Amino acid sequence: MKILIIGAGLSGTLLAIRMAQRGFQVELREKRSDMRQEEVAAGRSINLALSNRGLKALDQAGMKEEILETCIPMYGRMIHGVDGALRMSKYSGRAEEYINSVSRAGLNISLLNKAEGFENLQLHFASACTDVDLENARANFQNADGTTETVQADIVIGSDGVGSAVRQSLMRNTTKLLFNYSQEFLRSGYKELSIPPAADGGYRIEKNALHIWPRGKFMMIALPNLDGSFTVTMFHPYEGESGFNTLDTDQKVQAFFEEYYADALPHLPTLLHDYRHNHVGVLGNIKCYPWQAYGKSLILGDAAHAIVPFYGQGMNASFEDVRVFDDLVEVHGTDWKLLFQTFQDARAHNTNAIADLAVDNFYEMQDKVADPLFIKKRTLEMQLEQTYPDYYSKYSLVTFKEELPYAQAMELGRKQDELLLAICKKDEVPNLDSVMQQIAAISL
Amino acid sequence: MKILIIGAGLSGTLLAIRMAQRGFQVELREKRSDMRQEEVAAGRSINLALSNRGLKALDQAGMKEEILETCIPMYGRMIHGVDGALRMSKYSGRAEEYINSVSRAGLNISLLNKAEGFENLQLHFASACTDVDLENARANFQNADGTTETVQADIVIGSDGVGSAVRQSLMRNTTKLLFNYSQEFLRSGYKELSIPPAADGGYRIEKNALHIWPRGKFMMIALPNLDGSFTVTMFHPYEGESGFNTLDTDQKVQAFFEEYYADALPHLPTLLHDYRHNHVGVLGNIKCYPWQAYGKSLILGDAAHAIVPFYGQGMNASFEDVRVFDDLVEVHGTDWKLLFQTFQDARAHNTNAIADLAVDNFYEMQDKVADPLFIKKRTLEMQLEQTYPDYYSKYSLVTFKEELPYAQAMELGRKQDELLLAICKKDEVPNLDSVMQQIAAISL
């Protein structure tokens, strides 16, 4: 039984490891050359937030502890006011609930190193899938050395990311498969900057936090790296006063940062260079259905559900795909048709939910975190989490309650939000027991 | 000033006529050969519902009266029960409000004949657009004779239908244009059948109606043709008891029609032949944004907003595109950039609205038209329309109030529906004046 996995990014490599651990013959092919032999391109040294859902999947592959050693805990959002005032807004009222900053490239390398240790797992780099014969589990590849190859497998799984070639093969069979597809972009993009380590190798700003400079229609964030640096990301509209297309000279960029991000400026010595050289990336959600064809071909991860980064759940959702897929192999064995159908129906509405939550959070992060009513609600949530072990805020339901599917976390979380906002609008100090009784009465 | 229009279907040809009437140099190119020299393929002899919005656009081109002569008025839905009982449900309480059955091919031929009369309009058939240089208003064509051509224009307009090559050029520039796109399919398809004329050349069933056989999860409809025949369309799911994939032998089809469409069976002498030979078509909505790039290239009609046929508004919405475009030329002249942007922003939310309404109507037509509460509401709507010249039901707002944009018709119509359903659920006989007062109080 041979499984061909296309795309050796995060979810593809983890899936390859799990399937190899189960004893399947696995072939894992990657378009790019082996990243372990490359310099990471400037502006692409992304770090990501790893949390419970992702950790659970890594745990299944026996890699959780190893990866956690490369992580930096972030206990909350450090909110930077225009005047430089700092306010820490914790992710949870419970000390053991936090998220982790991890290097995307570092994590991918750890996974590739692990994958390489299996005799029943073959890794091929610099081999780009050009198209898939979905019905016959056969894929064509164009290799960087100019040769072409056709690979025949029992099943093909596309974990080849936002530009997925496997998804494009599904798209080419639109009417046969009744393939629903949507791509939707925000009218904001992103650009990465960098805060270097301090002279003594330490951190220039609080290490154990996700920093946010919320400014209403735009924002900047920063996540810590192991070497003392921070990867900074500006999220700005393309057009208008704060637009990337408007801020098109060194003078304008400098003046803009002096006005809106003044406290960060001393920590951004390469600002003008970074701004000039790093590209503006697009932000969008991709949704589609079905994810499988003929019980022979399947997509998962970003290939099936690319999402905007504002809930810190993109990688976690993709790792959760792997965990759910793996659980289903336990149940259905190699009845791939049943397994693929069960998998897509278990996952699609949940990944749609996290996509919608991530767009909501875009507005929350750049705007609402600075709003008094929101802050009051967040304070109440903290008190509830400290007092009641069973209480989870919407953020905590999504981030820390890994056994609850995203769609349910969204529905319950939104109802809680509505209730708490109504309570916080009143002048009285809320009675915690009474609030918890009202929350317990919410039914899905 | 040269305008290149790609696609000589309904909206493309009407637009070419209007632009030629305004004195522009127009080149109109069509992938298919000249339909005036072809036999219409079996199963594609589609007729369509032409109503006020479409007629208004035809009127602007001076073609309304000519086209109305080829139409058959349909005053309402003739609903066929399983037992053969007939019930006429009028489209409006006012005699002058009705829709028209028109031959798609006949209408297209009338438009092509008109287009041919302009010296400043060149028509090319059998010339398929392969791609568009959006920024430079230049398009490449592959001709049926094997030659290729590049056409340079001042602006390019793609009216090339659901599989639009111009839209695909926008799609290839996704990140540059932040091109939002969605395609969504119903899990039902359609198949066409035919009711021939009676022996004396007359109509075998009521001529001036749109016939519906609503059966809950599936339905059949029939629209009259000028020659005494009806074009019949089955709308069925793909799978399940009534599924096209299940009804896969003559015996099963015959037995199914005897059970569910018994009163139609005597009028369908070629049923088994039609069922065997006519393909199953897919039903879906396509939405996208933006519709234009660089003030040089634009899509409209089905290329920009293909919709399911259940509101009878597909062609009308596309003709309305032409009417609105033409109105904007009156305002903005040849400031194409401003015109294109104004056009897409005026149209996209309205064509999204009619797409959503059309999906709603899919469920209404196959299911609710047979529901007692729905019938009671429809009766009340008729009474209101007969009594108050200012009252329009949701259907009438969309179909007969051509000056009201679709999005507003949808919003007002939905609120009215909610109100009327609440009234009809009560046991009392409603007081018409009081109902009208409540309707007048609805604000958008």
Side-chain angles (χ1 to χ4, degrees):
Chain A
M1 183 65 69
K2 178 171 170 180
I3 302 177
L4 170 62
I5 300 175
I6 299 172
L10 299 174
S11 58
T13 311
L14 182 60
L15 180 66
I17 290 167
R18 277 307 293 146
M19 294 303 106
Q21 287 172 334
R22 284 189 175 276
F24 291 109
Q25 193 63 40
V26 179
E27 183 166 334
L28 176 59
R29 288 196 170 245
E30 167 58 40
K31 184 171 64 177
R32 280 164 289 204
S33 53
D34 190 344
M35 64 191 307
R36 293 169 297 180
Q37 292 152 23
E38 307 272 316
E39 291 262 338
V40 175
R44 302 299 306 279
S45 57
I46 301 165
N47 44 23
L48 299 168
L50 176 62
S51 52
N52 294 27
R53 292 173 199 269
L55 287 167
K56 187 170 178 186
L58 288 169
D59 199 23
Q60 227 159 10
M63 295 184 69
K64 179 177 164 182
E65 299 312 321
E66 170 192 349
I67 298 302
L68 275 178
E69 279 169 28
T70 68
C71 289
I72 299 172
M74 298 185 290
Y75 298 109
R77 296 166 171 168
M78 182 64 82
I79 295 163
H80 295 245
V82 179
D83 58 0
L86 292 178
R87 190 169 52 77
M88 178 74 165
S89 170
K90 290 194 127 188
Y91 282 124
S92 167
R94 290 177 284 263
E96 69 278 17
E97 290 171 356
Y98 54 85
I99 64 177
N100 302 280
S101 178
V102 69
S103 154
R104 182 185 184 124
L107 177 53
N108 211 146
I109 286 168
S110 299
L111 290 163
L112 289 171
N113 287 339
K114 174 93 172 182
E116 223 165 35
F118 294 91
E119 279 195 3
N120 54 334
L121 195 169
Q122 296 167 52
L123 249 166
H124 299 263
F125 292 99
S127 183
C129 177
T130 50
D131 67 282
V132 180
D133 175 345
L134 300 168
E135 199 162 357
N136 296 302
R138 199 161 40 220
N140 293 315
F141 293 87
Q142 173 76 49
N143 297 328
D145 64 10
T147 59
T148 61
E149 278 178 278
T150 299
V151 178
Q152 175 71 57
D154 291 288
I155 56 167
V156 174
I157 301 178
S159 51
D160 48 346
V162 58
S164 172
V166 186
R167 192 186 67 236
Q168 280 161 29
S169 290
L170 290 163
M171 191 83 167
R172 275 193 288 275
N173 288 280
T174 281
T175 54
K176 226 191 240 171
L177 301 172
L178 300 176
F179 187 65
N180 289 350
Y181 172 81
S182 79
Q183 56 183 42
E184 191 153 11
F185 297 93
L186 298 182
R187 263 47 200 169
S188 291
Y190 71 90
K191 189 191 277 281
E192 289 182 25
L193 309 171
S194 182
I195 294 177
D200 65 356
Y203 291 81
R204 288 164 167 269
I205 54 178
E206 168 60 40
K207 173 186 179 185
N208 293 112
L210 188 153
H211 296 261
I212 311 185
W213 291 258
R215 296 295 180 264
K217 299 284 176 204
F218 55 94
M219 70 171 159
M220 190 166 79
I221 69 168
L223 277 75
N225 298 313
L226 284 176
D227 66 357
S229 69
F230 288 81
T231 302
V232 179
T233 312
M234 301 170 66
F235 295 99
H236 278 229
Y238 294 93
E239 307 298 338
E241 212 190 328
S242 60
F244 285 119
N245 294 339
T246 308
L247 302 173
D248 58 355
T249 67
D250 285 358
Q251 287 74 13
K252 288 187 202 165
V253 172
Q254 181 71 30
F256 190 90
F257 271 71
E258 281 168 9
E259 181 165 357
Y260 292 106
Y261 299 136
D263 73 324
L265 206 41
H267 306 307
L268 292 162
T270 57
L271 168 65
L272 297 177
H273 176 272
D274 292 351
Y275 191 91
R276 247 184 271 122
H277 289 88
N278 293 343
H279 81 302
V280 176
V282 301
L283 297 163
N285 284 340
I286 287 180
K287 297 176 180 173
C288 64
Y289 189 90
W291 293 2
Q292 73 90 33
Y294 312 108
K296 291 285 184 181
S297 302
L298 175 77
I299 51 174
L300 51 68
D302 278 5
H305 52 78
I307 64 175
V308 295
F310 304 106
Y311 228 104
Q313 287 291 319
M315 168 180 59
N316 292 290
S318 293
F319 278 166
E320 192 173 71
D321 283 352
V322 175
R323 199 263 299 160
V324 171
F325 185 92
D326 191 41
D327 288 349
L328 288 172
V329 175
E330 198 63 38
V331 179
H332 298 300
T334 57
D335 184 346
W336 300 116
K337 192 161 196 172
L338 177 59
L339 194 157
F340 284 8
Q341 282 172 348
T342 310
F343 175 73
Q344 69 179 1
D345 291 336
R347 292 303 290 160
H349 65 288
N350 285 310
T351 55
N352 286 345
I354 192 59
D356 295 344
L357 284 168
V359 171
D360 290 354
N361 233 30
F362 170 59
Y363 299 103
E364 177 169 323
M365 286 174 77
Q366 65 178 11
D367 194 11
K368 287 194 212 147
V369 289
D371 175 78
L373 180 63
F374 178 88
I375 292 168
K376 192 170 167 192
K377 171 177 149 269
R378 199 70 197 124
T379 307
L380 175 58
E381 286 175 343
M382 291 297 111
Q383 291 176 319
L384 291 168
E385 288 188 337
Q386 281 155 14
T387 316
Y388 305 95
D390 286 350
Y391 174 76
Y392 288 79
S393 70
K394 184 176 79 179
Y395 184 87
S396 292
L397 289 168
V398 171
T399 308
F400 304 122
K401 216 168 157 66
E402 68 274 10
E403 71 279 12
L404 191 71
Y406 284 127
Q408 289 175 43
M410 175 171 79
E411 199 185 338
L412 179 56
R414 284 182 172 174
K415 287 184 178 170
Q416 285 182 184
D417 270 6
E418 236 173 87
L419 176 67
L420 294 184
L421 279 173
I423 290 167
C424 289
K425 272 184 191 156
K426 295 176 192 160
D427 268 341
E428 319 139 32
V429 177
N431 174 291
L432 290 190
D433 279 341
S434 143
V435 173
M436 265 312 280
Q437 276 168 23
Q438 293 175 66
I439 284 170
I442 294 174
S443 61
L444 293 186
Chain B
M1 184 66 67
K2 178 171 168 180
I3 302 177
L4 170 62
I5 300 176
I6 299 173
L10 298 175
S11 58
T13 310
L14 182 61
L15 179 66
I17 291 167
R18 277 307 293 146
M19 294 302 107
Q21 287 172 333
R22 284 188 175 275
F24 291 110
Q25 193 63 39
V26 179
E27 183 167 333
L28 176 59
R29 287 196 173 246
E30 166 59 39
K31 183 170 68 176
R32 279 165 288 205
S33 53
D34 189 345
M35 65 192 304
R36 293 169 298 179
Q37 293 154 22
E38 306 273 315
E39 290 265 337
V40 175
R44 302 300 304 276
S45 55
I46 300 164
N47 43 25
L48 299 168
L50 176 62
S51 53
N52 293 29
R53 292 174 199 266
L55 287 167
K56 188 171 178 185
L58 288 169
D59 199 23
Q60 227 159 9
M63 295 184 69
K64 180 176 162 181
E65 299 312 320
E66 169 192 348
I67 298 302
L68 276 178
E69 280 170 24
T70 69
C71 289
I72 299 171
M74 298 184 289
Y75 298 108
R77 296 166 170 167
M78 181 65 81
I79 295 162
H80 295 244
V82 180
D83 58 0
L86 293 178
R87 190 170 51 79
M88 179 76 164
S89 170
K90 290 193 127 191
Y91 282 124
S92 166
R94 290 177 284 263
E96 70 278 17
E97 289 171 355
Y98 54 84
I99 64 176
N100 301 281
S101 177
V102 69
S103 154
R104 180 183 186 127
L107 177 52
N108 210 340
I109 286 169
S110 299
L111 290 163
L112 289 171
N113 287 340
K114 174 92 172 182
E116 224 165 35
F118 294 89
E119 277 193 5
N120 55 332
L121 196 169
Q122 296 167 51
L123 248 167
H124 299 264
F125 293 98
S127 184
C129 177
T130 51
D131 67 283
V132 180
D133 177 345
L134 300 168
E135 200 162 356
N136 296 302
R138 199 160 43 219
N140 293 316
F141 293 87
Q142 173 75 50
N143 298 328
D145 64 9
T147 60
T148 60
E149 277 177 278
T150 299
V151 178
Q152 175 70 58
D154 290 287
I155 56 168
V156 174
I157 301 179
S159 52
D160 47 346
V162 58
S164 172
V166 185
R167 192 185 67 235
Q168 279 161 28
S169 289
L170 290 162
M171 190 84 169
R172 275 193 288 274
N173 289 279
T174 281
T175 54
K176 225 190 240 172
L177 301 172
L178 301 176
F179 187 65
N180 289 348
Y181 172 80
S182 79
Q183 55 183 43
E184 190 153 12
F185 296 94
L186 299 182
R187 263 49 199 168
S188 291
Y190 71 90
K191 188 190 278 281
E192 289 182 25
L193 308 172
S194 182
I195 294 178
D200 65 356
Y203 290 82
R204 288 164 166 268
I205 54 178
E206 169 60 41
K207 173 186 180 184
N208 293 112
L210 188 154
H211 295 261
I212 310 186
W213 290 258
R215 297 294 181 264
K217 298 287 176 203
F218 56 93
M219 69 172 159
M220 190 166 78
I221 70 168
L223 276 77
N225 298 312
L226 283 175
D227 67 356
S229 69
F230 287 81
T231 302
V232 179
T233 311
M234 301 171 65
F235 295 99
H236 279 229
Y238 294 92
E239 307 299 338
E241 212 189 329
S242 60
F244 286 119
N245 294 339
T246 308
L247 302 174
D248 58 355
T249 67
D250 286 357
Q251 288 73 12
K252 288 187 202 166
V253 172
Q254 181 72 29
F256 190 91
F257 270 71
E258 281 169 9
E259 183 166 358
Y260 291 105
Y261 299 135
D263 72 325
L265 205 42
H267 306 305
L268 292 162
T270 56
L271 168 64
L272 297 177
H273 176 272
D274 292 351
Y275 191 92
R276 248 184 271 125
H277 289 89
N278 293 343
H279 81 301
V280 176
V282 301
L283 296 164
N285 285 341
I286 287 180
K287 297 175 180 173
C288 64
Y289 188 89
W291 293 3
Q292 73 91 32
Y294 312 107
K296 290 285 184 181
S297 301
L298 176 76
I299 52 173
L300 51 67
D302 278 4
H305 52 78
I307 64 176
V308 296
F310 304 105
Y311 228 104
Q313 286 292 318
M315 168 180 59
N316 292 289
S318 293
F319 278 167
E320 192 171 71
D321 283 351
V322 175
R323 199 263 300 159
V324 171
F325 186 92
D326 191 42
D327 287 350
L328 288 173
V329 175
E330 197 65 37
V331 179
H332 298 300
T334 56
D335 184 346
W336 299 118
K337 193 162 194 170
L338 177 61
L339 195 157
F340 284 8
Q341 283 172 348
T342 311
F343 175 73
Q344 69 180 2
D345 291 335
R347 292 303 290 160
H349 66 287
N350 285 310
T351 55
N352 286 347
I354 191 62
D356 295 344
L357 284 167
V359 171
D360 290 354
N361 233 29
F362 171 60
Y363 298 103
E364 176 169 322
M365 285 174 77
Q366 66 179 9
D367 194 10
K368 288 195 213 148
V369 289
D371 174 78
L373 180 63
F374 179 88
I375 294 169
K376 192 171 166 192
K377 172 180 147 270
R378 200 68 197 124
T379 306
L380 176 56
E381 287 176 342
M382 290 296 112
Q383 291 176 319
L384 291 168
E385 289 190 335
Q386 281 155 13
T387 316
Y388 306 95
D390 286 349
Y391 173 76
Y392 287 79
S393 70
K394 182 175 82 179
Y395 184 87
S396 292
L397 288 168
V398 171
T399 308
F400 303 122
K401 216 168 158 66
E402 69 273 11
E403 71 280 12
L404 190 71
Y406 283 128
Q408 289 176 41
M410 176 173 76
E411 200 185 337
L412 179 56
R414 284 182 172 173
K415 287 184 179 172
Q416 285 181 185
D417 269 5
E418 234 173 88
L419 176 69
L420 294 185
L421 279 173
I423 290 168
C424 290
K425 271 183 191 156
K426 295 176 192 163
D427 268 342
E428 320 138 32
V429 177
N431 173 292
L432 291 190
D433 278 342
S434 142
V435 173
M436 267 310 281
Q437 276 168 23
Q438 293 175 65
I439 284 170
I442 293 174
S443 62
L444 291 188

